[in-house]
Coordinates of all heavy atoms in Angstrom, one line a residue:
M1 N 117.2 133.4 121.4 CA 117.9 132.1 121.5 C 117.1 131.1 120.7 O 115.8 131.2 120.7 CB 118.2 131.6 122.9 CG 118.9 132.6 123.8 SD 120.7 132.7 123.5 CE 121.2 131.1 123.6
E2 N 117.7 130.1 120.2 CA 117.1 129.0 119.6 C 117.7 127.7 120.1 O 118.9 127.6 120.2 CB 117.2 129.0 118.0 CG 116.6 127.9 117.3 CD 116.8 127.9 115.8 OE1 117.1 129.0 115.3 OE2 116.7 126.9 115.2
Y3 N 116.8 126.7 120.4 CA 117.3 125.4 121.0 C 116.6 124.3 120.2 O 115.4 124.3 120.1 CB 117.0 125.4 122.5 CG 117.4 124.1 123.1 CD1 118.7 123.8 123.5 CD2 116.4 123.1 123.4 CE1 119.1 122.7 124.1 CE2 116.8 121.9 124.1 CZ 118.1 121.7 124.4 OH 118.5 120.5 125.0
R4 N 117.4 123.3 119.7 CA 116.8 122.2 119.1 C 116.5 121.1 120.2 O 117.4 120.7 120.9 CB 117.8 121.6 118.1 CG 118.0 122.6 116.9 CD 118.8 122.0 115.8 NE 117.8 121.5 114.9 CZ 118.0 120.9 113.7 NH1 119.3 120.6 113.4 NH2 117.1 120.6 112.9
T5 N 115.3 120.7 120.3 CA 114.9 119.8 121.3 C 115.3 118.4 121.0 O 115.6 118.1 119.8 CB 113.4 119.8 121.6 OG1 112.7 119.5 120.4 CG2 112.9 121.2 122.0
R6 N 115.3 117.5 122.0 CA 115.6 116.1 121.8 C 114.6 115.2 122.6 O 114.4 115.5 123.8 CB 117.0 115.8 122.3 CG 118.1 116.5 121.5 CD 119.5 116.4 122.2 NE 120.5 117.1 121.4 CZ 120.7 118.5 121.5 NH1 119.9 119.2 122.2 NH2 121.6 119.0 120.7
G7 N 114.1 114.2 121.9 CA 113.2 113.3 122.6 C 111.8 113.7 122.9 O 111.1 113.1 123.7
V8 N 111.3 114.8 122.3 CA 110.0 115.3 122.5 C 109.3 115.6 121.2 O 110.0 115.6 120.1 CB 110.0 116.5 123.4 CG1 110.5 116.2 124.8 CG2 110.8 117.7 122.9
C9 N 108.0 115.9 121.2 CA 107.3 116.2 120.0 C 107.6 117.6 119.4 O 107.7 117.7 118.2 CB 105.8 116.2 120.3 SG 105.2 114.6 120.8
S10 N 107.9 118.6 120.2 CA 108.3 119.9 119.7 C 109.8 119.7 119.1 O 110.5 118.9 119.5 CB 108.3 121.0 120.7 OG 109.3 120.7 121.7
T11 N 110.1 120.5 118.1 CA 111.4 120.4 117.5 C 112.4 121.5 117.8 O 113.6 121.3 117.8 CB 111.2 120.4 115.9 OG1 110.5 121.6 115.5 CG2 110.5 119.2 115.5
R12 N 111.8 122.7 118.2 CA 112.7 123.8 118.6 C 111.9 124.7 119.6 O 110.7 124.7 119.7 CB 112.9 124.7 117.4 CG 114.0 124.1 116.4 CD 114.4 125.2 115.4 NE 115.5 124.7 114.6 CZ 115.3 123.9 113.5 NH1 114.1 123.6 113.1 NH2 116.4 123.5 112.8
I13 N 112.8 125.4 120.4 CA 112.3 126.4 121.3 C 113.0 127.7 121.1 O 114.2 127.7 120.9 CB 112.5 125.9 122.8 CG1 112.0 124.5 123.1 CG2 111.9 127.0 123.8 CD1 112.4 123.9 124.4
Y14 N 112.2 128.7 121.0 CA 112.8 130.1 120.9 C 112.5 130.9 122.1 O 111.4 130.8 122.6 CB 112.2 130.8 119.6 CG 112.3 130.0 118.4 CD1 111.3 129.1 118.0 CD2 113.5 130.1 117.6 CE1 111.5 128.4 116.8 CE2 113.6 129.4 116.4 CZ 112.6 128.5 116.0 OH 112.8 127.8 114.9
F15 N 113.4 131.7 122.6 CA 113.2 132.5 123.8 C 114.2 133.6 123.8 O 115.3 133.6 123.2 CB 113.2 131.6 125.0 CG 114.5 130.9 125.2 CD1 115.6 131.5 126.0 CD2 114.7 129.7 124.6 CE1 116.8 130.8 126.1 CE2 115.9 129.0 124.8 CZ 117.0 129.6 125.5
D16 N 114.0 134.6 124.7 CA 114.9 135.6 125.0 C 115.2 135.6 126.5 O 114.3 135.2 127.3 CB 114.3 137.0 124.7 CG 114.0 137.2 123.2 OD1 114.9 136.8 122.4 OD2 113.0 137.7 122.9
I17 N 116.4 136.0 126.9 CA 116.7 136.2 128.3 C 117.3 137.6 128.4 O 118.3 138.0 127.7 CB 117.8 135.2 128.8 CG1 117.2 133.8 128.8 CG2 118.2 135.5 130.3 CD1 118.2 132.7 129.2
D18 N 116.8 138.4 129.3 CA 117.3 139.8 129.4 C 118.5 139.9 130.4 O 118.9 138.8 130.9 CB 116.2 140.8 129.8 CG 115.6 140.6 131.2 OD1 116.3 139.9 132.1 OD2 114.5 141.0 131.5
Q19 N 119.0 141.1 130.6 CA 120.2 141.3 131.5 C 119.9 140.8 132.9 O 120.9 140.5 133.6 CB 120.7 142.7 131.4 CG 119.8 143.7 132.0 CD 118.7 144.2 131.0 OE1 118.5 143.7 129.9 NE2 118.0 145.3 131.4
D20 N 118.7 140.8 133.4 CA 118.4 140.3 134.7 C 118.1 138.8 134.8 O 117.5 138.3 135.8 CB 117.2 141.1 135.3 CG 117.5 142.6 135.4 OD1 118.6 142.9 135.8 OD2 116.5 143.4 135.2
R21 N 118.4 138.1 133.7 CA 118.1 136.7 133.5 C 116.6 136.4 133.6 O 116.2 135.3 134.1 CB 118.9 135.9 134.6 CG 120.4 135.9 134.4 CD 121.0 135.0 135.4 NE 122.4 135.0 135.3 CZ 123.2 134.1 135.9 NH1 122.7 133.3 136.7 NH2 124.5 134.1 135.7
R22 N 115.8 137.3 133.1 CA 114.4 137.0 133.0 C 114.0 136.5 131.7 O 114.6 136.9 130.7 CB 113.6 138.2 133.4 CG 113.8 138.7 134.8 CD 112.8 139.6 135.4 NE 113.0 139.9 136.8 CZ 112.6 139.1 137.8 NH1 111.9 138.1 137.6 NH2 112.9 139.5 139.0
V23 N 113.1 135.5 131.6 CA 112.7 134.8 130.4 C 111.6 135.5 129.7 O 110.6 135.9 130.4 CB 112.4 133.3 130.7 CG1 111.9 132.6 129.5 CG2 113.5 132.6 131.4
H24 N 111.7 135.7 128.4 CA 110.7 136.3 127.6 C 110.5 135.6 126.3 O 111.4 135.0 125.7 CB 111.0 137.8 127.3 CG 111.3 138.6 128.6 ND1 110.2 139.1 129.3 CD2 112.4 139.0 129.2 CE1 110.7 139.8 130.3 NE2 112.1 139.7 130.3
N25 N 109.3 135.8 125.7 CA 109.0 135.4 124.3 C 109.2 133.9 124.0 O 109.7 133.6 123.0 CB 109.7 136.3 123.3 CG 109.5 137.7 123.6 OD1 108.4 138.2 123.8 ND2 110.6 138.5 123.6
V26 N 108.8 133.1 125.0 CA 109.0 131.6 124.7 C 108.0 131.1 123.7 O 106.8 131.4 123.8 CB 108.8 130.8 126.1 CG1 108.9 129.3 125.8 CG2 109.9 131.2 127.1
R27 N 108.6 130.4 122.7 CA 107.7 129.9 121.6 C 108.3 128.5 121.2 O 109.5 128.4 121.1 CB 107.8 130.8 120.4 CG 106.8 130.4 119.3 CD 106.8 131.5 118.2 NE 108.0 131.8 117.7 CZ 108.7 131.2 116.7 NH1 108.1 130.1 116.2 NH2 109.8 131.6 116.3
F28 N 107.4 127.5 121.1 CA 107.8 126.2 120.7 C 107.3 125.9 119.3 O 106.3 126.4 118.9 CB 107.1 125.2 121.6 CG 107.6 125.1 123.0 CD1 107.1 126.1 123.9 CD2 108.5 124.2 123.4 CE1 107.5 126.0 125.2 CE2 108.9 124.1 124.7 CZ 108.4 125.1 125.7
D29 N 108.1 125.2 118.5 CA 107.7 124.7 117.2 C 107.3 123.3 117.4 O 108.0 122.4 117.9 CB 108.9 124.7 116.2 CG 109.1 126.0 115.5 OD1 108.2 126.9 115.6 OD2 110.1 126.2 114.8
G30 N 106.0 122.9 117.0 CA 105.5 121.6 117.2 C 105.1 121.4 118.6 O 105.0 122.3 119.4
G31 N 104.7 120.1 118.9 CA 104.3 119.8 120.3 C 102.8 120.1 120.5 O 102.1 120.4 119.5
C32 N 102.4 120.0 121.7 CA 101.0 120.3 122.1 C 100.8 121.8 122.2 O 101.1 122.4 123.2 CB 100.7 119.7 123.4 SG 101.0 117.9 123.5
D33 N 100.2 122.4 121.1 CA 100.1 123.8 120.9 C 99.6 124.6 122.1 O 100.2 125.5 122.6 CB 99.3 124.1 119.7 CG 99.3 125.6 119.3 OD1 100.4 126.2 119.2 OD2 98.2 126.2 119.2
G34 N 98.4 124.2 122.6 CA 97.8 124.9 123.7 C 98.6 124.8 125.0 O 98.8 125.8 125.7
N35 N 99.1 123.6 125.3 CA 99.9 123.5 126.5 C 101.2 124.3 126.5 O 101.6 124.9 127.4 CB 100.2 122.0 126.8 CG 99.0 121.2 127.2 OD1 98.0 121.7 127.7 ND2 99.0 119.9 126.9
L36 N 101.8 124.3 125.3 CA 103.1 124.9 125.2 C 102.9 126.5 125.1 O 103.8 127.2 125.6 CB 103.9 124.4 124.0 CG 104.3 122.9 124.2 CD1 105.0 122.4 122.9 CD2 105.1 122.7 125.4
K37 N 101.8 126.9 124.6 CA 101.5 128.4 124.7 C 101.4 128.7 126.2 O 101.8 129.8 126.6 CB 100.3 128.7 123.9 CG 100.5 128.8 122.4 CD 99.2 129.1 121.7 CE 99.3 129.1 120.2 NZ 98.0 129.3 119.6
A38 N 100.7 127.9 126.9 CA 100.5 128.1 128.3 C 101.8 128.2 129.1 O 102.0 129.0 129.9 CB 99.6 127.1 128.9
V39 N 102.7 127.3 128.8 CA 104.0 127.3 129.4 C 104.7 128.6 129.1 O 105.3 129.2 130.1 CB 104.9 126.1 128.9 CG1 106.4 126.3 129.3 CG2 104.4 124.8 129.4
G40 N 104.7 129.1 127.9 CA 105.3 130.3 127.6 C 104.7 131.5 128.4 O 105.4 132.4 128.8
I41 N 103.4 131.5 128.5 CA 102.7 132.6 129.3 C 103.1 132.5 130.7 O 103.4 133.5 131.4 CB 101.2 132.4 129.1 CG1 100.8 132.8 127.7 CG2 100.4 133.3 130.1 CD1 99.4 132.4 127.3
L42 N 103.1 131.3 131.3 CA 103.4 131.1 132.7 C 104.8 131.5 133.1 O 105.1 132.0 134.2 CB 103.1 129.7 133.1 CG 101.7 129.3 133.2 CD1 101.5 127.8 133.4 CD2 100.9 130.0 134.3
V43 N 105.8 131.3 132.2 CA 107.2 131.6 132.5 C 107.6 133.0 132.1 O 108.7 133.5 132.5 CB 108.2 130.6 131.9 CG1 107.8 129.2 132.4 CG2 108.2 130.6 130.4
E44 N 106.7 133.7 131.4 CA 107.1 135.1 131.0 C 107.5 135.9 132.2 O 106.7 136.1 133.1 CB 105.9 135.7 130.2 CG 106.1 137.1 129.8 CD 107.1 137.2 128.7 OE1 107.4 136.3 127.9 OE2 107.8 138.3 128.7
G45 N 108.7 136.5 132.1 CA 109.1 137.4 133.1 C 109.8 136.7 134.3 O 110.3 137.4 135.2
M46 N 109.7 135.4 134.4 CA 110.3 134.7 135.5 C 111.9 134.7 135.3 O 112.4 134.7 134.2 CB 109.8 133.3 135.6 CG 108.4 133.1 136.1 SD 107.8 131.4 136.0 CE 108.9 130.6 137.2
R47 N 112.6 134.6 136.4 CA 114.0 134.4 136.4 C 114.3 133.0 135.8 O 113.6 132.1 136.2 CB 114.7 134.6 137.7 CG 114.6 136.1 138.2 CD 115.3 136.4 139.4 NE 116.7 136.0 139.4 CZ 117.8 136.6 138.9 NH1 117.5 137.8 138.3 NH2 119.0 136.2 138.9
A48 N 115.3 132.9 135.0 CA 115.7 131.7 134.3 C 115.9 130.6 135.4 O 115.5 129.4 135.2 CB 116.9 131.9 133.4
E49 N 116.6 130.9 136.5 CA 116.9 129.9 137.5 C 115.6 129.3 138.1 O 115.6 128.2 138.4 CB 117.8 130.5 138.6 CG 119.1 131.0 138.2 CD 119.1 132.5 137.7 OE1 118.0 133.1 137.5 OE2 120.2 133.0 137.5
E50 N 114.6 130.2 138.3 CA 113.3 129.7 138.8 C 112.6 128.8 137.8 O 112.1 127.7 138.2 CB 112.4 130.9 139.1 CG 111.2 130.5 139.9 CD 110.3 131.7 140.2 OE1 110.7 132.9 139.9 OE2 109.3 131.5 140.9
V51 N 112.7 129.1 136.5 CA 112.0 128.2 135.5 C 112.8 126.9 135.5 O 112.1 125.8 135.5 CB 112.1 128.9 134.1 CG1 111.6 128.0 133.1 CG2 111.3 130.2 134.1
I52 N 114.1 126.9 135.5 CA 114.9 125.7 135.6 C 114.5 124.8 136.8 O 114.3 123.6 136.6 CB 116.4 126.0 135.5 CG1 116.8 126.6 134.2 CG2 117.2 124.8 135.8 CD1 118.1 127.3 134.2
A53 N 114.4 125.4 137.9 CA 114.1 124.7 139.1 C 112.7 124.1 139.1 O 112.4 123.0 139.5 CB 114.2 125.6 140.4
K54 N 111.7 124.8 138.5 CA 110.3 124.3 138.5 C 110.1 123.3 137.4 O 109.3 122.3 137.6 CB 109.4 125.5 138.3 CG 109.2 126.4 139.5 CD 108.2 127.4 139.3 CE 108.0 128.3 140.5 NZ 107.1 127.8 141.5
L55 N 110.7 123.4 136.2 CA 110.4 122.6 135.1 C 111.4 121.5 134.8 O 111.1 120.5 134.2 CB 110.3 123.5 133.8 CG 109.2 124.5 133.8 CD1 109.1 125.3 132.5 CD2 107.8 124.0 134.2
G56 N 112.6 121.6 135.3 CA 113.6 120.6 135.1 C 113.2 119.3 135.7 O 112.7 119.2 136.8
G57 N 113.4 118.2 134.9 CA 113.1 116.9 135.3 C 111.6 116.4 135.1 O 111.3 115.3 135.3
N58 N 110.8 117.3 134.6 CA 109.4 117.0 134.2 C 109.4 116.0 133.0 O 110.2 116.2 132.1 CB 108.7 118.3 133.9 CG 107.2 118.1 133.6 OD1 106.6 117.3 134.3 ND2 106.7 118.8 132.7
T59 N 108.6 115.0 133.1 CA 108.5 114.0 132.0 C 107.2 114.0 131.3 O 106.2 114.6 131.8 CB 108.8 112.6 132.6 OG1 107.8 112.3 133.5 CG2 110.2 112.5 133.2
C60 N 107.1 113.4 130.2 CA 105.9 113.3 129.4 C 105.6 111.9 129.0 O 106.4 111.3 128.3 CB 106.0 114.2 128.2 SG 104.5 114.2 127.1
G61 N 104.5 111.3 129.5 CA 104.2 109.9 129.2 C 105.3 109.0 129.7 O 105.9 109.2 130.7
G62 N 105.8 108.2 128.8 CA 106.8 107.2 129.1 C 108.2 107.8 128.8 O 109.2 107.1 128.9
K63 N 108.3 109.0 128.3 CA 109.6 109.6 127.9 C 110.3 110.1 129.2 O 109.8 110.4 130.2 CB 109.3 110.8 127.0 CG 108.6 110.5 125.7 CD 108.3 111.7 125.0 CE 107.4 111.3 123.7 NZ 107.0 112.5 123.0
S64 N 111.6 110.2 129.0 CA 112.5 110.6 130.2 C 112.6 112.1 130.2 O 113.3 112.7 131.1 CB 113.9 110.0 130.0 OG 114.5 110.5 128.9
T65 N 111.9 112.8 129.3 CA 112.0 114.3 129.3 C 110.6 114.8 128.8 O 109.7 114.0 128.6 CB 113.1 114.8 128.3 OG1 113.2 116.2 128.4 CG2 112.8 114.4 126.9
S66 N 110.5 116.1 128.7 CA 109.2 116.7 128.2 C 109.6 118.0 127.6 O 110.8 118.5 127.7 CB 108.3 117.0 129.4 OG 108.8 118.0 130.2
C67 N 108.7 118.7 126.9 CA 108.9 120.0 126.3 C 109.3 121.0 127.4 O 110.2 121.8 127.2 CB 107.7 120.5 125.5 SG 107.4 119.4 124.1
A68 N 108.7 120.9 128.6 CA 109.0 121.8 129.7 C 110.4 121.5 130.2 O 111.2 122.5 130.5 CB 108.0 121.7 130.8
D69 N 110.8 120.3 130.3 CA 112.2 119.9 130.7 C 113.2 120.4 129.7 O 114.3 120.9 130.0 CB 112.2 118.4 130.9 CG 113.6 117.9 131.3 OD1 114.1 118.4 132.4 OD2 114.2 117.0 130.6
Q70 N 112.8 120.3 128.4 CA 113.7 120.7 127.3 C 113.9 122.3 127.5 O 115.0 122.8 127.2 CB 113.2 120.4 126.0 CG 113.3 118.9 125.7 CD 114.7 118.4 125.5 OE1 115.4 118.8 124.6 NE2 115.1 117.5 126.4
L71 N 112.9 123.0 127.8 CA 113.0 124.4 128.1 C 114.0 124.7 129.2 O 114.9 125.6 129.0 CB 111.7 125.1 128.4 CG 111.7 126.6 128.7 CD1 112.4 127.4 127.6 CD2 110.3 127.1 129.1
S72 N 114.0 123.9 130.2 CA 114.9 124.1 131.3 C 116.4 123.8 130.9 O 117.3 124.5 131.2 CB 114.6 123.2 132.5 OG 114.9 121.9 132.3
K73 N 116.5 122.8 130.0 CA 117.9 122.5 129.5 C 118.3 123.6 128.6 O 119.5 124.0 128.6 CB 117.8 121.2 128.7 CG 117.6 120.0 129.6 CD 117.5 118.7 128.8 CE 117.2 117.5 129.6 NZ 117.9 117.2 130.8
A74 N 117.4 124.2 127.8 CA 117.8 125.3 126.9 C 118.2 126.5 127.7 O 119.2 127.2 127.3 CB 116.6 125.6 126.0
L75 N 117.5 126.8 128.8 CA 117.9 127.9 129.6 C 119.2 127.7 130.3 O 120.0 128.7 130.4 CB 116.8 128.2 130.6 CG 115.4 128.7 130.1 CD1 114.4 128.7 131.2 CD2 115.6 130.0 129.4
K76 N 119.5 126.5 130.7 CA 120.8 126.2 131.3 C 121.9 126.5 130.3 O 122.9 127.1 130.7 CB 120.9 124.8 131.8 CG 120.2 124.5 133.1 CD 120.4 123.0 133.4 CE 119.5 122.5 134.5 NZ 119.6 121.1 134.8
L77 N 121.7 126.0 129.1 CA 122.7 126.3 128.1 C 122.9 127.8 127.8 O 124.1 128.2 127.7 CB 122.3 125.6 126.8 CG 122.8 124.1 126.6 CD1 122.2 123.6 125.3 CD2 124.3 124.0 126.6
A78 N 121.8 128.5 127.7 CA 121.9 129.9 127.4 C 122.6 130.7 128.5 O 123.3 131.6 128.2 CB 120.5 130.4 127.2
M79 N 122.4 130.2 129.7 CA 123.1 130.9 130.9 C 124.6 130.6 131.0 O 125.3 131.4 131.6 CB 122.4 130.6 132.2 CG 121.0 131.2 132.2 SD 120.0 130.9 133.6 CE 121.1 130.8 135.0
E80 N 125.0 129.5 130.3 CA 126.4 129.2 130.3 C 127.2 130.1 129.3 O 128.4 130.1 129.4 CB 126.6 127.7 130.0 CG 126.2 126.8 131.0 CD 126.2 125.3 130.6 OE1 126.6 125.0 129.5 OE2 125.8 124.5 131.4
K81 N 126.5 130.7 128.4 CA 127.2 131.5 127.4 C 127.6 132.8 127.9 O 127.1 133.4 128.8 CB 126.3 131.6 126.2 CG 126.1 130.3 125.5 CD 125.2 130.5 124.2 CE 125.1 129.2 123.5 NZ 124.4 129.3 122.3

């Protein structure tokens, strides 16, 4: 899957969701490289619903969203398909 982010430093998020709704291969274009690599490592193999619950609503600085929050939005969209 590919998701174009809004309101954050990263521009795109790439990821896979398997038949058990587990998240794999999360990769961000742009943003805080080390932190976003860590997010990808931490969510690897987690159920999408769990990632959404943990990361949804997270903000960055004065922004109303964050790269982690954008990942939760991307996963929600992917699960609607």
